Amino acid sequence: MSNVNTLRVVHFPRIIVLSLPLALFLPSLFARCSTPHRHGSNSASVHHQYLTADTRPQAAVIRQVLLGMRDASLAGTPRAQVEAEGAARLQAAGFQVDYAVVRLPDLGEPGEDAGARVALVAARLGSTRLIDNIEF
C-alpha cells in the first residue's frame, strides 16, 4: 500500500458536475462561481493539513504553472512544448511530477482546432500528491 496522500482540489470537470444530477433526475440549479484561494493554492479545502509550513508556499507553484500553461496555449505555443515546460517548472520547484498536460474538457486529446481546453497537473510534494486544473 502506498504511503502517499492523494488530494483532489474542488475543481471537477464541468461535465461530471452538470450531468450527474440530471442523470439522476434531481431538481437542480447551477451557478458558476470562483473558488476561494488560500496560501496561493486553488482551494480553501482541508488539503492544507497535509502540507507543512515550509511546503504550503511551494504548493502555490502549481497554480502559477497552470496559469502559465493556459497563457502559453492561448498564445499558440505547441502543446508538447507547453506540457514539457510546465513539467520542467514543477520539477525545478521540487515537485515529483506525475503529469502536466493540456486536454479537452472531456479529457480527450485536443486536435489542431481552437476550442475549450483544460490544463491538468498532478505532482507530489513530499508524501502529498496535489492535483489541480484550470479550464480555458
Side-chain angles (χ1 to χ4, degrees):
M1 180 150 228
S2 174
N3 193 20
V4 174
N5 300 314
T6 300
L7 303 171
R8 177 71 176 157
V9 178
V10 271
H11 291 276
F12 293 100
R14 161 177 65 211
I15 193 165
I16 293 172
V17 174
L18 295 177
S19 300
L20 183 61
L22 298 175
L24 297 175
F25 302 103
L26 299 173
S28 305
L29 174 65
F30 298 98
R32 188 174 190 113
C33 61
S34 61
T35 305
H37 298 275
R38 187 168 116 190
H39 302 295
S41 75
N42 205 28
S43 172
S45 68
V46 294
H47 76 272
H48 291 285
Q49 71 183 341
Y50 297 107
L51 300 172
T52 66
D54 295 332
T55 57
R56 277 190 192 106
Q58 190 177 3
V61 171
I62 289 180
R63 178 75 177 165
Q64 295 166 2
V65 167
L66 285 168
L67 292 171
M69 291 173 69
R70 176 200 64 192
D71 294 345
S73 292
L74 292 173
T77 305
R79 184 169 55 98
Q81 182 180 342
V82 169
E83 294 173 350
E85 289 174 358
R89 186 163 175 211
L90 289 167
Q91 288 172 342
F95 288 89
Q96 184 179 8
V97 180
D98 292 333
Y99 56 82
V101 297
V102 176
R103 297 289 183 263
L104 296 173
D106 68 1
L107 304 181
E109 291 281 335
E112 296 299 318
D113 61 324
R117 300 282 189 269
V118 60
L120 303 117
V121 166
R124 289 181 177 83
L125 190 55
S127 64
T128 303
R129 185 172 191 245
L130 299 166
I131 302 172
D132 201 356
N133 68 75
I134 185 169
E135 290 186 54
F136 57 94

